[in-house]
Amino acid sequence: MSLLCLMSASTLAEKAPIRVLAAFSILADLAHQVGGERVVVTSLVGPDQDAHGFDPRASDIRRMSQTDLVIANGLGFDPWIARMVAAARYKGRVLTVSDGITPLMADAHEDHADHEDEKSVSHAHADHGAADPHAWLDINHAKHYVRAIAAALGVIDPASAAHYTDRAKSYITQLDTLDVELRNRFAALPDHRRTVVTPHDAFGYFAHAYGLHFVAPAGLSNEASPSAASLATLIEQLRELKVPVVFLESFADERLIERIRTATGARRGGTLYADALASDGPASTYLGLMRHNANTLLSGLDTQ
């Protein structure tokens, strides 16, 4: 009997980890935080890579066919996941972590400002009426993602369900702590220092959470481009508001923000991360990305 017990324990110890394929690096990090050593997580779109223009390769299709759980964001951010599922004839579990979240709409971003003069700043893009897919930039939505990942892993691996739940709870505690910290820090910003200029319209959820007003010449995708007329209107409005700083984004086209900076006389702020983690440095995890963005914004806005 003792030999059978030892064999059973050995079998459990050698149980293969759950194979998780995440659409992009931020989801991969959340899955790793929940799964720990009981999952092996890979990402279709890695750190410092843009998911908007991702084109799956044959090797990606093969990876999907060999995985236990596919994690997608949804809300139109990663539509290629559905095509890959069909091409791979994938029969495993597909988790869309944004299911159950009421998304912001692109044309609602203009309502986040606290003042009438800031509300007049237009978003020079053609995505009005589209759902903003960047829900992870609100920590409360990231918590929703984490709970969904824990539940999905628990279904696939019931014997370890408590492990996933406990890790999710521990990670959510860290998220709550960071959220309180950021809310307190942004609450101290004066009203006239809450307008942020970025290349593309990715930060609506962040703005909504922390009482900021983001202005972007491009749309929800890094591939969108504003018309000459709408860009000229935006520049004129920024001049009128005397916005002194503009921020860059990782892998966004710097030429657009540089044109705005030159035309308005604004200075450059730091680089923000929206759609992907950094390959190293402070923004290489989700918690680090959110803290890095907050530090960068507060450093730039506090000196206005």
Side-chain angles (χ1 to χ4, degrees):
M1 180 66 70
S2 60
L3 179 60
L4 289 174
C5 291
L6 286 172
M7 289 177 63
S8 177
S10 175
T11 300
L12 287 173
E14 295 173 1
K15 181 181 177 182
I18 303 300
R19 296 163 298 181
V20 178
L21 182 62
F24 57 104
S25 57
I26 292 170
L27 299 186
D29 180 59
L30 297 182
H32 175 71
Q33 298 299 330
V34 174
E37 75 282 357
R38 301 192 189 183
V39 300
V40 172
V41 184
T42 58
S43 179
L44 287 165
V45 183
D48 290 325
Q49 296 179 12
D50 187 0
H52 288 292
F54 177 67
D55 186 14
R57 299 163 297 183
S59 59
D60 297 320
I61 303 297
R62 288 194 295 273
R63 271 202 291 167
M64 177 174 282
S65 67
Q66 298 165 0
T67 198
D68 300 303
L69 174 65
V70 172
I71 303 178
N73 183 74
L75 298 177
F77 186 80
D78 40 22
W80 29 265
I81 286 287
R83 299 194 298 272
M84 290 181 65
V85 166
R89 298 181 180 179
Y90 178 68
K91 303 300 183 184
R93 186 174 181 85
V94 178
L95 171 66
T96 302
V97 287
S98 65
D99 282 353
I101 289 175
T102 301
L104 294 175
M105 306 307 288
D107 54 2
H109 292 180
E110 296 175 9
D111 296 331
H112 298 157
D114 294 327
H115 299 288
E116 292 301 320
D117 58 344
E118 290 181 340
K119 286 181 183 178
S120 68
V121 179
S122 66
H123 287 243
H125 58 66
D127 288 325
H128 291 288
D132 183 342
H134 306 86
W136 61 86
L137 289 173
D138 182 331
I139 287 178
N140 281 320
H141 293 330
K143 289 158 56 177
H144 176 95
Y145 285 20
V146 166
R147 294 188 188 100
I149 292 168
L153 289 172
V155 169
I156 295 169
D157 180 18
S160 300
H163 167 82
Y164 303 128
T165 299
D166 289 345
R167 286 187 64 92
K169 288 179 179 177
S170 177
Y171 187 62
I172 285 171
T173 297
Q174 296 180 61
L175 293 172
D176 283 334
T177 299
L178 178 60
D179 189 40
V180 170
E181 174 193 329
L182 299 192
R183 288 182 187 278
N184 289 337
R185 293 175 68 191
F186 280 110
L189 269 182
D191 289 345
H192 67 280
R193 293 183 180 176
R194 292 178 175 270
T195 297
V196 181
V197 182
T198 57
H200 93 291
D201 197 9
F203 290 92
Y205 293 93
F206 196 102
H208 189 267
Y210 302 117
L212 303 174
H213 179 59
F214 278 75
V215 180
L220 294 172
S221 167
N222 278 319
E223 297 179 327
S225 299
S227 69
S230 60
L231 182 58
T233 299
L234 176 63
I235 288 171
E236 184 57 32
Q237 290 170 333
L238 294 176
R239 283 173 176 160
E240 291 175 3
L241 287 176
K242 299 178 179 174
V243 174
V245 60
V246 295
F247 293 87
L248 305 176
E249 285 180 52
S250 60
F251 57 71
D253 189 345
E254 288 191 24
R255 292 172 296 180
L256 186 57
I257 209 71
E258 181 62 18
R259 182 175 174 185
I260 293 172
R261 189 201 67 76
T262 302
T264 60
R267 59 183 173 79
R268 283 191 180 210
T271 298
L272 305 176
Y273 290 82
D275 296 345
L277 300 177
S279 55
D280 54 26
S284 58
T285 66
Y286 174 75
L287 283 169
L289 176 149
M290 293 295 285
R291 181 172 280 111
H292 166 85
N293 284 347
N295 290 341
T296 300
L297 288 166
L298 287 163
S299 177
L301 297 172
D302 271 342
T303 57
Q304 290 187 19

